[in-house]
Amino acid sequence: MLQIQKIRTHKDSIIKNILEIRKVNVSDQINNIYDLDLKKRDTQKNLDELSAHMNVLSSQIGEQFKNGNIEKANNLKQETTLLKENIKKLKLSFDELDKSIIDLLYQIPNVPNQLVPPGKSENDNEIIFSSPIDSLKSESFLPHWDLCQKYDLIDFELGVKVTGAGFPIYKGKGAILQRALIQFFLNEGNKSGYQELSLPHLVNESSGYGTGQLPDKEGQMYHVSVDDLYLIPTGEVPITNIYRDVIVEEKDLPIKHVGYTPCFRREAGSYGKDVRGLNRLHQFDKVEIVQITKPSESHQTLDQMVKYVESLIKKLELPYRKLKLCGGDLGFTAALTYDLETYSVGQEKWLEVSSISNFETFQSNRLKLRYRTQNRKIDLAHTLNGSALALPRIMASLLEINQNKDGINVPEVLRTYTGFDSI
RNA sequence: GGAGAGGUGGCAGAGUGGUAAUGCAACAGCCUGCUAAGCUGUCAACGAGCAAUCGUUGCCAGGGUUCGAAUCCCUGUCUCUCCGCCA
C-alpha cells in the first residue's frame, strides 16, 4: 500500500511513473484519493475541535457535580446534546472517508524503482545474464515427467487419486532428493546469516492482508472456512507477518530469515502444457529468504540476495539466466524484481525458480513494520524476499540435465545429503 | 468439547465511573577527570503550524449505556488454569 503522504506530495510523478513503466493508468484513482484525503483532514480538524470542546464541558460538569451545583451541571449537560450529535455525524463521515481512501489505496500498485525498464509483458524483461545453452539442445533429453516414471521418482497419477491434479507423490530416491535439496538450501541460508524458522502453514485473515494476498488474490489461496484460516501460498506470508505492527530497533537491522514451507496455490485458470509434470502444482515445497532493512540499504541488499540465490544455482551446476522484470511483468507489490530461471533441457524452455523482490515500503506500510533510528525517529522499514529456491522446477531441471542412458547423476554438493551418487 | 480466570505502554504492575499511578529497561540532555550514581525529559497514531507547540485518538477488537468509560452492559477474539480427548 502506498503511503498517503507520498500521494499528497508526489501525486503527479506517481501517476506518471506507473503509467510509463507499468503501462497502467491510475490517474483517476490517485486524484480521487487526493481529494478524499483533503476532505478527510478537514473533517478531522472539525471533529477534533468539537471533541476538545466536549472534553472541556465534561470536566466542567464533573466539577459542578463535585461542588454540589446540580443546577449548573444540568444546564451544561443540555449544551452537550447538540454537540454530541454533531460529533457523531462527523465521526461517521470521517470513518467513511477513511475507509474509501484505504479501499482505493489497496488498488494502487507499487511505484516501480527507477531501475525498472518500461514494458508491457514478459517479452520486455531485460536479460542480464544467460548461460550458453546451444550445446544443450538435443532430442535425447527426456522431459522430467518421463524420467520420473522411468525411475519411479514422482507419481503424478497417485497424487490425483489421493487428492487431485497438482498434488504429486514423491517416492524413494525422488523423495530423498527433494529432502536433500531442502536441507541443502536451509544449510546454505544458515551459513549466509539467515536465521532459520519453522513456520505455520496456515495463517489468519490479518496476515493475508499484511502481505497483500488479500483482498486482491483471495481466489488464489485455499481457505479453511470452519476456522477462517488460509493455507499459505508462500513462506513469505508467515515470515513477514511476524513483523506486523512491530517497531524494531535500528541496530537489529538487517533482519534475515530463511524458512522452508510447503506452498499451496489454487492456480485457478491455469491449464494446458504449462501445468504438465512439475511445472505448476497446487502444492509444492519452497525455501524462502526474507530481509528487513533500512531504506538506505535495501537496494544493495537486493543485489546481495540475487547473488546469493545465483550461488545456489551455480553450486547445483544448472544453466540459468537472470532477468530484470519490466514494469508490466512486475508484481503488484514489488518495486523491483529479478527473476532467476533454470533451463529445462527436456522441455527446451526456461523455468522460473526464483523471484527476488524489493518491496520498499509497500508491504511495511500495510504491515506497520517500522524501525526506530538512533535519534528516536520512527520510519517504515523496507522488506525484501526471494525464493531460495522453489523445489519442483529445480528438481525438473536437475533431473533432466543430469540424465544419461542408465540413470541420473546427483550433483556433487547434494551427495552428502542424499547418501547416493546416482539414481 | 466443558468449567473458571484474565487481556492496561518495550517489560512489570496499580487503577472498578471524573479523563492512565509507580517501578524496571531503553534513548536524549544535564552533571562528572573517567565510570557508576544522580537530575530532567521522551516513548504510539492522526491532524493543525515555518517552528516552539497545540488539539484529537489510543487500556485486545467492535458495538452500547453515560455529560464523561480502562472501569458498567452486549458480541467477538486471544491467553492462562482445571477437566475431557489426543500426537
Side-chain angles (χ1 to χ4, degrees):
Chain A
M1 187 165 69
L2 291 184
Q3 294 170 77
I4 187 73
Q5 295 89 333
K6 293 228 167 115
I7 292 180
R8 278 179 205 155
T9 51
H10 298 91
K11 165 169 87 83
D12 293 326
S13 70
I14 291 172
I15 294 171
K16 192 170 158 226
N17 193 337
I18 292 180
L19 181 64
E20 280 174 7
I21 309 296
R22 284 190 186 263
K23 310 293 179 194
V24 174
N25 187 354
V26 292
S27 124
D28 286 353
Q29 287 110 303
I30 299 256
N31 280 313
N32 202 353
I33 291 171
Y34 185 84
D35 293 339
L36 288 171
D37 179 56
L38 283 180
K39 265 189 215 160
K40 183 188 143 185
R41 281 190 286 164
D42 193 48
T43 308
Q44 179 172 356
K45 208 176 141 195
N46 290 334
L47 181 61
D48 282 357
E49 278 167 12
L50 293 191
S51 302
H53 190 194
M54 183 63 131
N55 286 342
V56 171
L57 283 180
S58 289
S59 63
Q60 280 175 358
I61 292 170
E63 277 299 302
Q64 299 298 350
F65 270 128
K66 237 183 224 170
N67 298 336
N69 299 329
I70 310 284
E71 200 181 325
K72 261 191 185 169
N74 281 328
N75 285 341
L76 284 171
K77 258 199 203 180
Q78 281 181 348
E79 237 183 279
T80 63
T81 323
L82 184 65
L83 196 55
K84 210 176 160 186
E85 228 169 85
N86 287 334
I87 286 175
K88 212 172 184 179
K89 268 189 220 154
L90 276 178
K91 179 81 171 74
L92 212 66
S93 62
F94 178 85
D95 287 345
E96 261 170 37
L97 286 166
D98 196 45
K99 188 175 180 304
S100 318
I101 290 169
I102 287 176
D103 284 349
L104 281 167
L105 276 175
Y106 273 143
Q107 294 169 31
I108 312 290
N110 202 349
V111 179
N113 185 282
Q114 53 182 1
L115 293 174
V116 175
K120 268 198 160 151
S121 72
E122 57 183 6
N123 299 323
D124 300 318
N125 291 340
E126 203 174 287
I127 299 170
I128 294 172
F129 166 84
S130 181
S131 305
I133 52 159
D134 289 343
S135 61
L136 296 172
K137 297 208 166 159
S138 153
E139 304 242 322
S140 60
F141 284 120
L142 294 174
H144 64 272
W145 49 84
D146 287 341
L147 294 168
C148 286
Q149 193 166 30
K150 188 172 171 187
Y151 299 106
D152 197 23
L153 300 173
I154 301 177
D155 195 325
F156 293 95
E157 298 302 316
L158 209 51
V160 172
K161 175 187 172 185
V162 173
T163 306
F167 293 90
I169 291 177
Y170 298 67
K171 296 161 84 175
K173 286 186 170 175
I176 294 170
L177 182 59
Q178 166 103 336
R179 174 160 54 86
L181 280 164
I182 293 167
Q183 189 129 357
F184 169 65
F185 293 147
L186 286 173
N187 280 349
E188 291 294 312
N190 278 305
K191 273 192 234 165
S192 294
Y194 291 90
Q195 186 196 37
E196 183 172 336
L197 299 173
S198 183
L199 299 148
H201 300 165
L202 285 92
V203 294
N204 58 29
E205 194 184 14
S206 305
S207 294
Y209 276 96
T211 28
Q213 279 70 28
L214 296 173
D216 341 315
K217 296 180 198 149
E218 173 135 40
Q220 289 296 339
M221 284 195 291
Y222 288 97
H223 182 217
V224 182
S225 54
V226 244
D227 293 304
D228 201 16
L229 296 172
Y230 295 86
L231 273 77
I232 56 171
T234 158
E236 167 199 346
V237 180
I239 297 177
T240 311
N241 272 288
I242 294 172
Y243 296 95
R244 172 155 45 84
D245 292 319
V246 166
I247 300 176
V248 295
E249 295 297 328
E250 183 176 9
K251 64 174 165 49
D252 295 329
L253 297 176
I255 290 168
K256 300 169 77 175
H257 288 305
V258 62
Y260 150 74
T261 67
C263 302
F264 303 91
R265 297 185 183 179
R266 294 187 62 229
E267 302 290 0
S270 332
Y271 302 99
K273 66 174 175 4
D274 275 357
V275 307
R276 183 131 191 226
L278 292 170
N279 288 348
R280 189 176 294 274
L281 302 170
H282 287 306
Q283 179 182 332
F284 64 96
D285 289 318
K286 183 154 65 71
V287 173
E288 182 83 1
I289 52 173
V290 170
Q291 287 211 39
I292 297 163
T293 74
K294 287 191 266 187
S296 59
E297 287 174 358
S298 70
H299 204 262
Q300 205 185 343
T301 301
L302 182 65
D303 290 343
Q304 285 166 9
M305 286 170 74
V306 172
K307 239 183 221 144
Y308 166 72
V309 182
E310 272 182 277
S311 79
L312 296 178
I313 297 174
K314 282 182 191 156
K315 282 178 186 167
L316 293 171
E317 302 169 78
L318 296 172
Y320 75 98
R321 64 178 191 177
K322 174 159 81 167
L323 309 174
K324 189 199 281 175
L325 296 194
C326 74
D329 209 22
L330 195 64
F332 186 83
T333 54
L336 176 59
T337 298
Y338 292 94
D339 271 9
L340 295 173
E341 302 181 335
T342 56
Y343 191 65
S344 157
V345 294
Q347 306 179 76
E348 296 192 357
K349 67 178 196 182
W350 296 97
L351 302 177
E352 181 192 325
V353 293
S354 182
S355 196
I356 306 140
S357 304
N358 186 354
F359 303 97
E360 297 183 352
T361 58
F362 196 83
Q363 278 187 333
S364 57
N365 186 37
R366 200 182 280 206
L367 286 162
K368 296 208 183 75
L369 161 52
R370 292 158 296 171
Y371 74 103
R372 204 191 306 269
T373 64
Q374 251 127 32
N375 45 12
R376 313 300 287 169
K377 281 249 163 66
I378 287 172
D379 199 8
L380 292 173
H382 280 194
T383 61
L384 307 94
N385 68 43
S387 344
L389 282 154
L391 273 288
R393 293 177 186 164
I394 285 288
M395 188 84 126
S397 300
L398 200 81
L399 293 173
E400 289 171 5
I401 201 162
N402 289 301
Q403 63 181 293
N404 54 50
K405 261 181 276 165
D406 337 290
I408 299 167
N409 288 322
V410 173
E412 197 71 43
V413 287
L414 293 179
R415 292 182 183 175
T416 52
Y417 295 100
T418 55
F420 49 81
D421 298 355
S422 65
I423 293 169

